[in-house]
Amino acid sequence: VQLQAFGGGLVPAGGSLRLSCVASGRTSSSGVVGWFRQAPGKEREPVAAIRWSSGSTYYADSVKGRFTISRDNAKNTVYLQMNSLKFEDTAVYYCAAGHRTPAMSAMRLEAFYDYWGQGTQVTVSS
């Protein structure tokens, strides 16, 4: 499985962006896809995740109500709609995919993700 993330850019605070993650070579209808981000000088952190089959989702507290993750199974694509962006959302955003389907409480854990995309930069100006 190869992941390609795109859609990042420079946006003013309060603005919106939509990230896309295309998973090529995917053969299973199960598994999970997640978005993670890493800001300068900080550790990578989970943002949101979605199960391919059920569409069940996970969101970090910091993005709940502002970000929405969705998937299009036919296109093997996962989207992250980011609204009301804040300066602190500035980071490199990575999409990742895993073969397993973790429990809801574990969807934020990197251990369940087997493949990683190259990252896309999101910069929010204050």
Side-chain angles (χ1 to χ4, degrees):
V1 176
Q2 292 185 329
L3 303 174
Q4 184 177 8
F6 55 95
L10 174 64
V11 62
S16 298
L17 278 176
R18 187 176 81 157
L19 304 183
S20 300
C21 176
V22 181
S24 58
R26 174 175 168 253
T27 58
S28 173
S29 60
S30 62
V32 62
V33 173
W35 286 96
F36 295 76
R37 67 186 182 187
Q38 186 168 23
K42 295 187 177 181
E43 293 187 355
R44 188 163 58 192
E45 62 177 5
V47 176
I50 189 167
R51 293 173 172 171
W52 277 116
S53 56
S54 67
S56 299
T57 57
Y58 155 84
Y59 293 97
D61 288 343
S62 58
V63 306
K64 281 181 181 177
R66 300 188 298 122
F67 291 11
T68 302
I69 190 170
S70 61
R71 90 274 193 233
D72 185 330
N73 286 32
K75 295 182 179 180
N76 286 335
T77 301
V78 171
Y79 305 98
L80 184 68
Q81 178 66 43
M82 305 186 294
N83 299 327
S84 302
L85 282 161
K86 304 176 181 180
F87 176 75
E88 51 264 40
D89 293 319
T90 296
V92 176
Y93 283 70
Y94 299 90
C95 66
H99 291 298
R100 294 162 289 179
T101 305
M104 295 293 288
S105 60
M107 290 172 71
R108 71 189 191 282
L109 301 177
E110 292 194 15
F112 287 97
Y113 294 87
D114 307 297
Y115 307 97
W116 292 80
Q118 82 285 10
T120 184
Q121 176 71 47
V122 172
T123 303
V124 183
S125 59
S126 57

